[in-house]
Amino acid sequence: MKTILAGKTKEVIIDTEGPVVIIGESINPTRRKRLVTALQERCFDYVLELAENQIKAGADVLDVNVGYPGVDDVSLLPETVRVIQDAYDIPLCIDSPNPEAIEAALKVARGKCLINSVNGEEASLNRLLPVAGKYGAAIIGLAMDDDGITHDPERRISIAGKILERAVKAGIKREDVIIDPLAMAVSADPVACLVTLETIRLAHGQLGQNITMGASNISFGLPGRESLNAAFMAIAIYNGLTCPIANPEKITNLIRAADLVLNRDDFAVRFVEYFQSRNQQGNSTQVN
Ligand code: THG
């Protein structure tokens, strides 16, 4: 199954059987004080720097989140979207808990965006599915609902299935629903990663949809975050994760390797090209 996103002109294909598509996470003010200050001052140079660094590192899509306490995201989210798309031809993942901000951003965005996110709560489905239909956007469906977050992978799958069914009823194509199994900090819950991994396996096998998640969430509060994220990422990809929201500056090496290991990179063409161009950029110490 293929989900197609687009920037001004550039298309990105997320294929359940294909190589991993990276959604860059860094345009997100959570724990990034400098971005909060820049956004408060409407100084977008830093946003563009984050965009460029992620694209250079292998991001195929950019997550755009401008949430900080007191923000007027109904005006700031579309403004940020416009600034990024004026500079880069890349599809965007519009990340906000505020449906009004999402709609305002979709109004100005070019191409085909990904809405981040819809969940199984009635209010969310009723508010956002028509918006997705109207603007022709794909959606991320979070596996949680009015009862909150369950630890049971089967129940997460039934919530994902409900979102899928409701989306299709609202006129959204099945392939335009990307499932988020929910990734949470393993420091707070020892089974958090296992529950997510099992949900991914079931979502891939039973629903057949593309699968995303905020992959760096799992390592909050721990040292060695890169190693932890890498271990989790590799297993998740094997189980069916196809388009993680992650930091490409840290995880692209592992993702290119995982695609090769899983026979999604014939004759290692993409792997070799990636590491050769990294070496030419002077990053040889990092990649050997
Ligand atoms: N699902 C969906 N969307 C999401 C999330 C999800 N959006 C937000 C979040 N979760 C995913 N995005 C991030 C962004 C940054 C970090 C984690 C998740 C992060 N940043 C580092 C930190 O906080 O220390 C700082 C940057 C870095 O390490 O480079 O961890 O679950 N659908």
Side-chain angles (χ1 to χ4, degrees):
M1 182 179 292
K2 292 184 172 82
T3 310
I4 301 175
L5 304 179
K8 271 178 283 188
T9 65
K10 192 179 176 225
E11 278 191 356
V12 169
I13 298 172
I14 309 168
D15 185 345
T16 49
E17 311 307 317
V20 171
V21 165
I22 301 171
I23 304 176
E25 72 180 12
S26 306
I27 302 175
N28 184 327
T30 316
R31 298 152 61 98
R32 234 182 237 280
K33 251 186 138 184
R34 192 177 153 200
L35 182 57
V36 177
T37 312
L39 289 170
Q40 280 168 336
E41 292 166 359
R42 299 294 190 269
C43 166
F44 291 102
D45 292 357
Y46 185 47
V47 172
L48 290 175
E49 186 185 319
L50 291 170
E52 181 179 353
N53 290 342
Q54 292 184 95
I55 292 167
K56 274 191 183 151
D60 303 291
V61 177
L62 295 178
D63 189 82
V64 184
N65 181 314
V66 297
Y68 56 83
V71 66
D72 173 14
D73 51 357
V74 178
S75 77
L76 183 57
L77 192 57
E79 197 176 348
T80 309
V81 159
R82 202 176 250 148
V83 168
I84 295 168
Q85 286 195 320
D86 280 346
Y88 300 103
D89 185 4
I90 187 165
L92 300 181
C93 176
I94 310 291
D95 189 353
S96 170
N98 180 0
E100 276 179 62
I102 290 179
E103 187 162 11
L106 290 173
K107 262 184 199 151
V108 305
R110 277 164 290 184
K112 180 172 167 189
C113 296
L114 183 56
I115 294 177
N116 189 7
S117 56
V118 179
N119 63 53
E121 291 172 22
E122 281 306 312
S124 175
L125 295 166
N126 292 335
R127 177 70 177 87
L128 284 169
L129 294 180
V131 171
K134 181 172 173 190
Y135 294 95
I139 63 170
I140 293 177
L142 287 192
M144 56 180 283
D145 64 8
D146 292 290
D147 295 329
I149 295 173
T150 163
H151 277 63
D152 179 355
E154 302 272 359
R155 273 158 60 199
R156 287 193 190 176
I157 291 304
S158 75
I159 296 165
K162 178 180 89 172
I163 297 170
L164 185 55
E165 196 178 300
R166 293 280 292 272
V168 169
K169 265 195 196 142
I172 296 161
K173 284 184 286 181
R174 193 181 165 88
E175 61 266 30
D176 281 343
V177 180
I178 298 181
I179 302 303
D180 185 330
L182 303 181
M184 282 164 320
V186 72
S187 56
D189 175 4
V191 296
C193 288
L194 274 181
V195 170
T196 305
L197 291 168
E198 178 62 4
T199 307
I200 292 171
R201 195 182 68 81
L202 295 174
H204 177 71
Q206 296 180 13
L207 303 173
Q209 301 301 114
N210 274 305
I211 300 171
T212 185
M213 67 180 172
S216 321
N217 298 345
I218 63 133
S219 59
F220 279 132
L222 289 169
R225 289 188 67 180
E226 264 188 80
S227 302
L228 194 48
N229 290 344
F232 182 61
M233 181 70 75
I235 306 168
I237 291 170
Y238 184 55
N239 280 15
L241 174 73
T242 48
C243 48
I245 302 168
N247 183 346
E249 293 170 72
K250 298 190 173 155
I251 206 82
T252 304
N253 292 359
L254 176 123
I255 285 176
R256 293 289 184 270
D259 281 334
L260 173 55
V261 167
L262 294 172
N263 187 24
R264 292 169 187 174
D265 183 2
D266 282 350
F267 303 103
V269 169
R270 205 156 173 246
F271 183 83
V272 170
E273 272 175 9
Y274 170 75
F275 280 96
Q276 279 176 345
S277 84
R278 294 295 312 251
N279 284 337
Q280 278 156 17
Q281 284 171 35
N283 289 314
S284 55
T285 49
Q286 283 175 34
V287 300
N288 285 328

